[in-house]
Amino acid sequence: MEIEGYDQVAENVSLRATGFFRLWTAESISLAGTQVTAFALPLVAVIALDASAWEMGLLTAANSAAALAFGLSAGALSDRYERRGVMLVANAARAVVLLLIPGLYFLDMLSLYAMAAVSFTVAGLSLLFDSAMASYTPRLVGKHNLAQANSWMQGTVSVGEVAGPGFAGLLVQVFGAPLTLLLDSASYLVSSLNLAKMPKAAPERTEGEKPEPHFKAVLSGLRLLRGDRFQRPLVLGAAHFNFFTAMFFTLYTLYVIKVLGFSSLLFGVLTMIGGVSGLLGAALAARIGRKFGVGATLVTVFAFPGVTGLLVPAAISVNKPVAMLFIGISAFFWSFAVVINLILSETIKQALVPDMYLGRVTSAFRFVATGVEPFGALVGGALATSSFGITRTLVLAAIGLMASAFWPLISDVRTLRDITDHVDVQAVGAGGPGPGPHEGEGR
């Protein structure tokens, strides 16, 4: 069975009738495995290898480096090949690669460098899976169901952020960190069993059209992103936002634990508040977008985390109960706004970008938006250790976050009332119709 073009999905077809919830189940199981890996890998390094702070930094950097190394190629590959097949291959490869860690551990051959290589590879395969998923979803559910589908997907992420660390911690406690990764490997295989029952979705091409060469496809993704009147300001806003978010969260844990004197348990509870509010944001995103307009909502949710972020450095000047309230309010509204932003931005992209370019635009967007994070973290660390100080650096980061609303505010994004009013894949581009980036017209 093959999915036809997503314009052909009838508007009266419900999300359930499209088969979306089988896809959602597969993605949820895959995300559960990812949560376990994110928690268990550092524990393997600390418990089994007695890793130093530098080695832990190396392990973290290996994971982050995958976005820069594979981010653009992942989207080009998902646009070249049938999307369900790409997801199945990515799942199978992740399952096999993760088996290396318990295998090497029991052979007494595990090293930090082997773990870093596994982390790097799994992160790259996850990018491939996510790019294919982003392209597959609109073909399956149709444009009119996109906001609701993305709300379900982002809701799963929020639940994972609340329950994932606790569940992973329980598994590590019962089975040990290396064996827990066996369960993670199995989760990718279970996810694949659900995906295997889904219809195929080959990229849409005109009859006789051949896929672009890989390097040319990668460049076209960046060119599409640059030329689109909606995607360009959104990716600039996201990069701006992520730079200052990295700057903020590099210091956040240190500030709350060391400066404010919160216990690890209290910090964990307050962090869970963000996951709960993210789930609420996922449930309300489509409704809020319809009520206030997608553009106005996006401008607001770009700025709002910075407003609530100011409560964190302000907590130093109040007593501890009020400081707890400040941190809790900040965590709640920060996650609420970010999740709404992610859902609406993803829906705009999936609805307006032509299917044959969706994977590479997704990965180009991620490459630009997340590639700035290491630099934001370095700037935050440097300023905090200088005479400027940690509190002022947090204030500066929060103000910088508010300023990210500038990009959607000065662009056509602010005019968006309803996404479907602007859907015309032939007209998505730099001002009007065009044959596509490979012919020099942009998108």
Side-chain angles (χ1 to χ4, degrees):
M1 178 181 174
E2 179 103 21
I3 301 176
E4 299 297 333
Y6 58 95
D7 285 329
Q8 300 174 20
V9 178
E11 290 193 9
N12 60 351
V13 173
S14 68
L15 191 63
R16 183 178 297 277
T18 65
F20 166 78
F21 286 104
R22 186 180 294 278
L23 178 69
W24 173 77
T25 300
E27 170 69 349
S28 298
I29 295 169
S30 176
L31 282 171
T34 301
Q35 284 284 343
V36 172
T37 298
F39 191 84
L41 269 180
L43 285 180
V44 173
V46 171
I47 297 170
L49 300 179
D50 193 26
S52 66
W54 164 250
E55 289 172 327
M56 292 301 293
L58 178 63
L59 187 61
T60 302
N63 185 279
S64 301
L68 294 175
F70 298 135
L72 294 174
S73 290
L77 290 171
S78 69
D79 281 342
R80 186 180 185 91
Y81 300 106
E82 191 274 312
R83 275 73 180 258
R84 189 199 65 165
V86 171
M87 290 188 283
L88 288 170
V89 168
N91 265 350
R94 287 189 288 186
V96 171
V97 171
L98 276 173
L99 289 175
L100 291 173
I101 291 182
L104 291 172
Y105 174 78
F106 288 116
L107 292 172
D108 198 25
M109 297 173 62
L110 186 62
S111 69
L112 193 285
Y113 295 102
M115 288 190 61
V118 167
S119 179
F120 177 79
T121 304
V122 169
L125 290 166
S126 295
L127 289 171
L128 182 61
F129 182 94
D130 292 344
S131 293
M133 174 70 75
S135 303
Y136 185 90
T137 302
R139 290 282 296 279
L140 180 70
V141 306
K143 294 186 179 75
H144 58 285
N145 283 320
L146 274 177
Q148 188 182 0
N150 287 326
S151 293
W152 273 95
M153 291 293 194
Q154 193 58 47
T156 301
V157 174
S158 297
V159 170
E161 289 173 351
V162 176
F167 178 64
L170 177 62
L171 290 176
V172 169
Q173 185 70 33
V174 174
F175 298 105
L179 278 178
T180 295
L181 292 173
L182 284 175
L183 298 176
D184 183 11
S185 178
S187 75
Y188 291 125
L189 297 179
V190 175
S191 171
S192 293
L193 290 176
N194 277 277
L195 283 173
K197 298 174 184 178
M198 300 295 297
K200 295 181 179 180
E204 292 183 339
R205 297 190 183 95
T206 58
E207 187 175 352
E209 181 184 5
K210 294 182 179 179
E212 290 179 284
H214 182 76
F215 183 68
K216 194 173 183 179
V218 166
L219 290 180
S220 71
L222 289 169
R223 190 158 58 242
L224 286 161
L225 194 62
R226 182 192 64 191
D228 188 288
R229 61 196 178 105
F230 295 115
Q231 299 306 314
R232 183 176 62 251
L234 285 176
V235 76
L236 290 172
H240 182 144
F241 186 93
N242 288 343
F243 178 91
F244 286 101
T245 294
M247 187 174 166
F248 191 94
F249 278 100
T250 293
L251 310 172
Y252 180 72
T253 301
L254 176 66
Y255 188 80
V256 172
I257 298 294
K258 296 294 186 182
V259 178
L260 298 182
F262 287 14
S263 68
S264 298
L265 176 61
L266 178 58
F267 179 62
V269 170
L270 292 171
T271 300
M272 288 175 64
I273 290 173
V276 173
S277 72
L279 187 58
L280 181 63
L284 296 177
R287 189 179 306 173
I288 291 172
R290 287 193 300 269
K291 182 174 179 60
F292 299 103
V294 171
T297 301
L298 275 170
V299 171
T300 302
V301 295
F302 263 108
F304 203 64
V307 176
T308 64
L310 288 172
L311 291 173
V312 175
I316 192 66
S317 60
V318 297
N319 59 42
K320 191 165 186 177
V322 177
M324 290 168 52
L325 181 63
F326 279 12
I327 299 300
I329 291 173
S330 177
F332 183 92
F333 286 106
W334 183 302
S335 294
F336 183 78
V338 166
V339 167
I340 291 174
N341 189 333
L342 290 171
I343 290 170
L344 295 182
S345 296
E346 182 72 4
T347 303
I348 290 172
K349 181 187 68 188
Q350 290 175 330
L352 271 63
V353 174
D355 173 78
M356 68 181 71
Y357 303 125
L358 190 50
R360 72 194 81 173
V361 170
T362 295
S363 53
F365 195 108
R366 183 183 290 116
F367 177 82
V368 175
T370 63
V372 300
E373 290 178 357
F375 304 103
L378 290 172
V379 170
L383 285 175
T385 54
S386 71
S387 58
F388 197 68
I390 187 170
T391 302
R392 289 191 184 94
T393 303
L394 286 170
V395 171
L396 178 62
I399 293 171
L401 282 162
M402 285 187 275
S404 67
F406 169 80
W407 302 103
L409 183 63
I410 65 167
S411 72
D412 287 341
V413 171
R414 79 176 189 280
T415 67
L416 280 171
R417 179 70 195 177
D418 188 309
I419 295 169
T420 56
D421 291 341
H422 293 259
V423 173
D424 178 1
V425 294
Q426 296 303 319
V428 175
H438 55 290
E439 295 182 36
E441 291 291 333
R443 174 173 43 91

